[in-house]
């Protein structure tokens, strides 16, 4: 008996419910039950519900080790994001999980805390589990990480950022174009002393800074003292503190573009505390359209980013690559939307 068969039959020798028990309860073959768990999209919804109900009634727990050996797949996908305290990535992971769960895959979830060193360690650790594919956030990894994923021989899809590099698959939007659109919006509103405030300073934040700076330079209005860039983790409290710092060094600023909505929300609180009228005295804009932004007072002008859809589309692309299907587009640009509200 091979190892897969031994693993599959071990449950019966210990008195636990087996795949065969579930199949007999439903009146179908074990192959059909196995397909319902491993490839649920290939089984009708009614039959899938009956099989799951039988499994629940019998207390059946799927032996994933046996399934992996039989199919030559681990049914695991490694997913690396910078943070799970940031709702942007929570939304993305939610989209990923919805797709993978429907196809019987489990996520090996890793958080690198915006550290290239931690990302390398996670990639190295997760490759030991032989994942069928990997989702990475952005392209800011070390050369050692690049070598690891190149030698892994598994499909890789990059999220949030775009690349036209040969053989690279990505789903996201242009951070620079989004920042350019917001800066142009503030210019169109008549503002001429526009500041940019950012924290974290990951590659996506720096791309937004480039979009702002290029647009302001083109308008002939760039002044370096209107930029405040700090490496601290983004938060509402930090937004208030950074606005205070900005107004100390550039008190005549008439508009502020924050790299994240939580910073911008903090700035709105600080304006309320100081009696600064928004947008009459100071326009405030953010980025990402977080849930509270529409409800803030005043409501926040921001860039809505397709983070949930990025998760969904990235997962679908990766699954297609795993299945050996032809992917029509290696780069999917999902774009962005400027939400013009009361604050700017």
């Amino acid at each position: 008996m091979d190892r897969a068969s031994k693993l599959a039959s071990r449950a019966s020798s210990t008195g636990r419910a087996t795949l065969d028990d579930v199949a007999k309860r439903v009146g179908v073959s074990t192959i059909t039950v196995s397909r319902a768990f491993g490839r649920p999209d290939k089984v009708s919804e009614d039959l899938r519900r009956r099989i799951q109900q039988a499994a629940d009634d019998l207390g059946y727990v799927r032996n994933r080790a046996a399934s992996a050996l039989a199919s030559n797949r681990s049914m695991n996908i490694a997913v690396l994001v910078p943070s799970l305290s940031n709702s942007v990535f929570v939304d993305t992971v939610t989209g990923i999980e919805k797709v993978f769960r429907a196809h019987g895959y489990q996520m090996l979830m890793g958080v690198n805390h915006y550290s290239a060193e931690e990302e390398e360690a996670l990639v190295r650790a997760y490759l030991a589990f032989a994942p069928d594919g990997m989702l990475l956030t952005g392209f800011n990894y070390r050369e050692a990480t690049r070598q690891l994923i190149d030698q892994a021989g598994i499909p890789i899809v990059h999220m949030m950022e775009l690349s036209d590099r040969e053989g690279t698959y990505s789903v996201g939007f242009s951070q620079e174009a989004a920042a350019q659109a917001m800066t142009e919006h503030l210019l169109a509103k008549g503002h001429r002393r526009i500041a940019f405030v950012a924290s974290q300073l990951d590659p996506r934040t720096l791309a937004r800074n480039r979009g702002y700076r290029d647009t302001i330079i083109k308008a002939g209005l760039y002044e370096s003292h209107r930029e405040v860039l700090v490496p601290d983790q983004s938060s509402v409290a930090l937004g208030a503190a950074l606005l205070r710092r900005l107004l100390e060094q550039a008190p005549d600023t008439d508009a502020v573009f924050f790299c994240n909505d939580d910073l911008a929300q903090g700035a709105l609180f600080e304006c309320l505390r100081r009696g600064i009228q928004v947008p009459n005295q100071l326009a405030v804009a953010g980025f990402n359209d977080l849930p509270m932004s529409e409800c803030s007072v005043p409501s926040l002008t921001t860039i809505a980013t397709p983070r949930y859809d990025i998760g969904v589309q990235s997962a679908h692309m990766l699954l297609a690559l795993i299945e050996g299907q032809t992917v029509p587009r290696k780069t999917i640009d999902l774009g962005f939307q400027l939400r013009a509200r009361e604050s700017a």
Side-chain angles (χ1 to χ4, degrees), residues 20-151:
D20 189 51
D21 295 331
V22 177
K24 288 177 180 177
R25 173 68 67 92
V26 181
V28 296
S29 69
T30 55
I31 293 176
T32 299
V33 175
S34 179
R35 185 178 297 119
F37 289 123
R39 298 294 303 277
D41 56 313
K42 301 296 184 182
V43 179
S44 71
E45 184 177 350
D46 177 65
L47 181 54
R48 191 165 63 246
R49 280 200 301 264
R50 287 167 52 205
I51 290 172
Q52 186 60 59
Q53 184 61 56
D56 293 343
D57 292 343
L58 293 167
Y60 170 74
V61 178
R62 183 184 176 200
N63 190 325
R64 297 190 64 87
S67 301
L69 286 169
S71 64
N72 199 30
R73 287 186 181 172
S74 68
M75 300 305 292
N76 291 322
I77 303 290
V79 180
L80 272 62
V81 296
S83 169
L84 283 179
S85 62
N86 185 334
S87 64
V88 170
F89 297 109
V90 173
D91 291 344
T92 303
V93 170
T94 300
I96 294 168
E97 193 274 337
K98 180 181 180 180
V99 174
F100 287 161
R101 176 163 41 85
H103 289 80
Y105 282 88
Q106 301 294 319
M107 290 192 297
L108 299 172
M109 191 74 239
V111 179
N112 61 39
H113 303 101
Y114 296 92
S115 165
E117 291 78 9
E118 289 191 38
E119 182 176 51
E120 179 191 340
L122 284 168
V123 169
R124 191 179 300 277
Y126 286 167
L127 286 177
F129 290 89
D132 296 324
M134 187 174 291
L135 294 176
L136 299 176
T137 304
F139 299 90
N140 189 41
Y141 38 73
R142 309 168 83 184
E143 181 58 31
T145 305
R146 186 187 306 279
Q147 292 177 7
L148 283 171
I149 61 178
D150 286 347
Q151 295 167 6

Side-chain angles (χ1 to χ4, degrees), residues 139 159-164 170-174 331-334:
F139 299 90
M159 306 180 292
M160 293 294 176
E161 300 174 37
L162 304 174
S163 173
D164 55 5
S170 61
V171 180
F173 65 98
S174 172
T331 299
I332 299 179
D333 185 349
L334 294 178

Side-chain angles (χ1 to χ4, degrees), residues 15-338:
R16 296 201 302 266
T18 67
L19 201 70
D20 189 51
D21 295 331
V22 177
K24 288 177 180 177
R25 173 68 67 92
V26 181
V28 296
S29 69
T30 55
I31 293 176
T32 299
V33 175
S34 179
R35 185 178 297 119
F37 289 123
R39 298 294 303 277
D41 56 313
K42 301 296 184 182
V43 179
S44 71
E45 184 177 350
D46 177 65
L47 181 54
R48 191 165 63 246
R49 280 200 301 264
R50 287 167 52 205
I51 290 172
Q52 186 60 59
Q53 184 61 56
D56 293 343
D57 292 343
L58 293 167
Y60 170 74
V61 178
R62 183 184 176 200
N63 190 325
R64 297 190 64 87
S67 301
L69 286 169
S71 64
N72 199 30
R73 287 186 181 172
S74 68
M75 300 305 292
N76 291 322
I77 303 290
V79 180
L80 272 62
V81 296
S83 169
L84 283 179
S85 62
N86 185 334
S87 64
V88 170
F89 297 109
V90 173
D91 291 344
T92 303
V93 170
T94 300
I96 294 168
E97 193 274 337
K98 180 181 180 180
V99 174
F100 287 161
R101 176 163 41 85
H103 289 80
Y105 282 88
Q106 301 294 319
M107 290 192 297
L108 299 172
M109 191 74 239
V111 179
N112 61 39
H113 303 101
Y114 296 92
S115 165
E117 291 78 9
E118 289 191 38
E119 182 176 51
E120 179 191 340
L122 284 168
V123 169
R124 191 179 300 277
Y126 286 167
L127 286 177
F129 290 89
D132 296 324
M134 187 174 291
L135 294 176
L136 299 176
T137 304
F139 299 90
N140 189 41
Y141 38 73
R142 309 168 83 184
E143 181 58 31
T145 305
R146 186 187 306 279
Q147 292 177 7
L148 283 171
I149 61 178
D150 286 347
Q151 295 167 6
I154 60 173
I156 307 286
V157 174
H158 299 80
M159 306 180 292
M160 293 294 176
E161 300 174 37
L162 304 174
S163 173
D164 55 5
R165 192 163 53 217
E166 183 65 28
T168 299
Y169 295 87
S170 61
V171 180
F173 65 98
S174 172
Q175 306 279 339
E176 291 187 31
Q180 177 183 341
M182 179 57 78
T183 308
E184 289 175 345
H185 172 75
L186 295 173
L187 288 169
K189 286 286 187 176
H191 302 292
R192 292 297 177 267
R193 299 181 298 279
I194 303 170
F196 182 82
V197 176
S199 66
Q200 203 73 64
L201 307 186
D202 60 84
R204 289 164 295 284
T205 295
L206 295 178
R208 294 167 204 168
N209 182 227
R210 289 194 299 272
Y212 154 82
R213 185 180 294 182
D214 291 348
T215 306
I216 286 292
I217 289 174
K218 184 177 179 181
L221 298 171
Y222 179 71
E223 296 174 290
S224 61
H225 70 291
R226 297 196 196 280
E227 286 185 328
V228 177
L229 310 175
V230 299
D232 310 62
Q233 183 175 344
S234 184
S235 69
V236 173
L238 181 62
L242 292 182
L243 180 64
R244 291 193 294 270
R245 175 173 163 179
L246 170 68
L247 294 180
E248 287 174 3
Q249 65 189 49
D252 61 340
T253 297
D254 61 7
V256 191
F257 176 17
F258 288 89
C259 76
N260 280 316
D261 276 11
D262 51 0
L263 294 179
Q265 290 165 5
L268 291 179
F269 282 122
E270 183 65 16
C271 286
L272 179 62
R273 188 176 298 110
R274 290 180 171 225
I276 299 173
Q277 296 181 12
V278 178
N280 295 336
Q281 291 177 264
L282 183 69
V284 176
F287 200 101
N288 276 322
D289 197 18
L290 298 182
M292 288 299 295
S293 296
E294 188 175 8
C295 303
S296 63
V297 181
S299 57
L300 183 65
T301 292
T302 185
I303 296 289
T305 55
R307 45 196 182 268
Y308 176 81
D309 289 338
I310 287 174
V312 170
Q313 293 295 328
S314 297
H316 279 305
M317 177 183 280
L318 186 61
L319 289 178
L321 292 171
I322 291 171
E323 294 292 336
Q325 300 173 9
T326 300
V327 176
R329 290 183 295 165
K330 291 186 175 181
T331 299
I332 299 179
D333 185 349
L334 294 178
F336 56 87
Q337 290 184 318
L338 194 154

